[in-house]
Amino acid sequence: GGEWRVLLDAAKACATDPPDLTQYPADFVALSFYKIFGYPSGLGALLVRRDAVGLLERRYFGGGTVSVVGVNKDLLVRREAPEGFEDGTVSFLSIAALVH
C-alpha cells in the first residue's frame, strides 16, 4: 500500500482563524503573507514537516540553491533543505514593510 501526504492551503485562514497544526497535522502547509498582513509583498512560505522534506525534489536550480557548479566538468552540488529550496535573494524590503 501507498502512503498519503497532506497539503493544507492555509493562505487565507491564517489571517482570521489559523489552523491548529497539533490538532490537524499536515505534511505541507502553504502560507501567503499578503493574506496574513494585507500588504501585497509577494512573500509566502511552504512549511514542511521534517519527515516529508526528503519527498521534495528540485528539477531546476537557481541563485542560492547550489553550493558548487563546475564549468568545465559535469559537476553540481545542491544545497540541503531548506536553503536548497530558496531561490535568489530574499525580498528583505518586503519583509521590513510588514512591521510598518
Side-chain angles (χ1 to χ4, degrees), residues 11-12 19 24 29 54 76 81 86 90 92:
K12 185 173 182 180
Y24 305 105
V29 181
L76 169 66
E86 298 174 359
V90 176
F92 56 89

Side-chain angles (χ1 to χ4, degrees), residues 61 66-77:
F61 64 92
V66 296
S67 295
V68 177
V69 176
V71 178
N72 296 327
K73 296 180 181 180
D74 187 16
L75 174 66
L76 169 66
V77 178

Side-chain angles (χ1 to χ4, degrees), residues 4-82:
W4 290 87
R5 295 295 179 156
V6 176
L7 166 66
L8 176 62
D9 183 355
K12 185 173 182 180
C14 283
T16 56
D17 190 19
D20 180 356
L21 297 178
T22 60
Q23 186 176 0
Y24 305 105
D27 300 295
F28 309 95
V29 181
L31 306 174
S32 168
F33 287 8
Y34 170 65
K35 303 280 181 155
I36 296 171
F37 298 105
Y39 177 77
S41 64
L43 297 173
L46 177 65
L47 304 179
V48 181
R49 287 176 56 105
R50 286 188 185 104
D51 63 342
V53 169
L55 299 172
L56 301 177
E57 179 182 326
R58 295 287 303 251
R59 301 203 182 269
Y60 61 92
F61 64 92
T65 63
V66 296
S67 295
V68 177
V69 176
V71 178
N72 296 327
K73 296 180 181 180
D74 187 16
L75 174 66
L76 169 66
V77 178
R78 297 177 186 264
R79 289 189 174 176
E80 297 292 322

